[in-house]
Amino acid sequence: MRRYAGVLAYIASVLVIWATGRDVNSYMLTTAVDISIYVLITLSLNLEADIAGIPNFGRVLTVAFGAYIAGGVLGRIALWALGLNYDYVADNPTAASALSKTLTPPMAALLLLAGLFLAGIVGAAIGVASSFPARRLTADYLAITLLAFGDVAYYIGLNYEPLVGGTLGVSAPPIYEGIFGGGVMRAVGAALVSASVATATYVLFTRLDKSPFGRILRVHREDPELVSMLGRDPAALRGWAMAIGGAASAVAGLLYALHVGAVHPRCFERINFTFYPWLIVVMGDMGSNRGVLEGVFIFIVIYRLLDMYKYEVGNVVGFDPVWLGYILFGALAMLVIVTMPRGVVPEEAKPLIEIKRRGEE
């Protein structure tokens, strides 16, 4: 049952929503996007920190820059392609309104694909750049350095207004509206796009984990010097791991911004896109993609139920349930560490080399 703890918790939450007369369809569509985005982020963190042994406490960096692609780049590309003479950030309300009237479904679809590609490229580049300190720093100092790097995106976005409007933020280009229309269809489209990208990434990361590259990353996690003895460059392995993780998390940031419909630097703080993903990985199991998936389900169920029933819960506990969320997540992490130190779905031992049986060659 532990292997399906997250999925069972999600099914139970749907039944609770239905039994209490809340909007089940809205809950399922919203949580589909939430789960997809956090699957992308936590899979990237699992690859870097738990498989490759790189303590990345700056995950928010690439997530934020992925969102900045949506708010500061895609809108400008769309205006240029349509021949509209607006500055997407300085004239944001007017520019966004003009795009909503002129953006056709094929152009919106191309813009979405361009955004996914650009976010992946930018995230990979930032990941490679972030791997440079790992060449000389030990794990403890590297963790603190990457934690500091995580604040870079926050302060750049907040103080450099041409990027995403500074303290005011910007509206994201109406890409989902252009493809699917407004209202319920927009929500359905956002859920389908996010879930499709997350599913494809999960399959890719699972195959990557079972490949020779995944096995050598696990060797690097245990003993980087042994990697050198095997003829591989540890610095290059760290660069590849952080490039792949940075690309996946930047795509998550892009999808988050398009779903929310706006980009504001204050949304990208450590708690949401660094500490919560680490909590999910600890709950699921460090090194297990399946465990990460179950951990995401558990986290999103608790997070969303507290948000939906915050007034009822507040009347019972006597204080703002926002603080109850922090208490519950902290207590849950301690409970998992004490009772299930290997996580909900423990990592399976994998051989260094793949042994073929006689007759398989």
Side-chain angles (χ1 to χ4, degrees), residues 255-308:
L255 294 176
Y256 171 79
L258 294 179
H259 170 62
V260 174
V263 180
H264 197 289
R266 294 192 186 277
C267 295
F268 300 98
E269 297 180 345
R270 298 172 185 166
I271 184 68
N272 293 320
F273 297 112
T274 294
F275 294 155
Y276 281 160
W278 269 98
L279 170 65
I280 292 169
V281 169
V282 169
M283 285 194 299
D285 177 49
M286 301 183 73
S288 168
N289 287 333
R290 179 58 188 276
V292 164
L293 184 63
E294 298 300 322
V296 169
F297 274 100
I298 294 171
F299 170 79
I300 294 299
V301 165
I302 296 175
Y303 187 88
R304 281 298 170 190
L305 288 182
L306 280 177
D307 183 60
M308 294 185 69

Side-chain angles (χ1 to χ4, degrees), residues 171-193:
S171 298
I175 293 177
Y176 285 151
E177 291 86 346
I179 300 174
F180 305 103
V184 176
M185 292 308 300
R186 181 193 187 277
V188 172
L192 288 175
V193 171

Side-chain angles (χ1 to χ4, degrees), residues 44 48 59 62-63 119-120 122-127 241-251:
S44 68
E48 295 179 7
R59 179 76 293 163
T62 47
V63 176
V122 170
I126 294 175
M242 296 191 72
I244 296 170
S249 56
V251 168

Side-chain angles (χ1 to χ4, degrees), residues 9-10 16 173 189 201 205 213 229-230 272 299 303 320:
Y10 181 75
V16 169
T201 304
F205 273 51
F213 179 71
M229 294 175 62
L230 293 172
N272 293 320
F299 170 79
Y303 187 88
D320 193 338

Side-chain angles (χ1 to χ4, degrees), residues 84-282:
L84 299 175
N85 295 320
Y86 297 110
D87 184 295
Y88 189 77
V89 173
D91 307 318
N92 186 245
T94 306
S97 177
L99 286 180
S100 65
K101 297 175 182 177
T102 57
L103 203 59
T104 62
M107 183 174 291
L110 288 174
L111 203 61
L112 175 61
L113 294 175
L116 294 173
F117 176 77
L118 288 174
I121 293 297
V122 170
I126 294 175
V128 172
S130 300
S131 73
F132 291 155
R135 296 173 182 267
R136 295 183 177 276
L137 298 178
T138 59
D140 295 338
Y141 290 102
L142 178 62
I144 299 301
T145 301
L146 294 177
L147 178 66
F149 280 2
D151 288 336
V152 170
Y154 175 82
Y155 288 109
I156 289 177
L158 201 62
N159 294 287
Y160 184 62
E161 293 187 4
L163 183 58
V164 285
T167 56
L168 298 178
V170 294
S171 298
I175 293 177
Y176 285 151
E177 291 86 346
I179 300 174
F180 305 103
V184 176
M185 292 308 300
R186 181 193 187 277
V188 172
L192 288 175
V193 171
S194 301
S196 299
V197 174
T199 301
T201 304
Y202 181 83
V203 172
L204 175 63
F205 273 51
T206 300
R207 296 192 64 178
L208 190 68
D209 183 27
K210 297 178 180 179
S211 69
F213 179 71
R215 290 195 290 271
I216 196 65
L217 284 182
R218 292 179 187 277
V219 175
H220 175 274
R221 178 187 65 186
E222 302 299 331
D223 190 350
E225 293 184 2
L226 179 58
V227 172
S228 300
M229 294 175 62
L230 293 172
R232 301 294 294 270
D233 182 6
L237 287 175
R238 288 191 289 267
W240 276 107
M242 296 191 72
I244 296 170
S249 56
V251 168
L254 176 88
L255 294 176
Y256 171 79
L258 294 179
H259 170 62
V260 174
V263 180
H264 197 289
R266 294 192 186 277
C267 295
F268 300 98
E269 297 180 345
R270 298 172 185 166
I271 184 68
N272 293 320
F273 297 112
T274 294
F275 294 155
Y276 281 160
W278 269 98
L279 170 65
I280 292 169
V281 169
V282 169

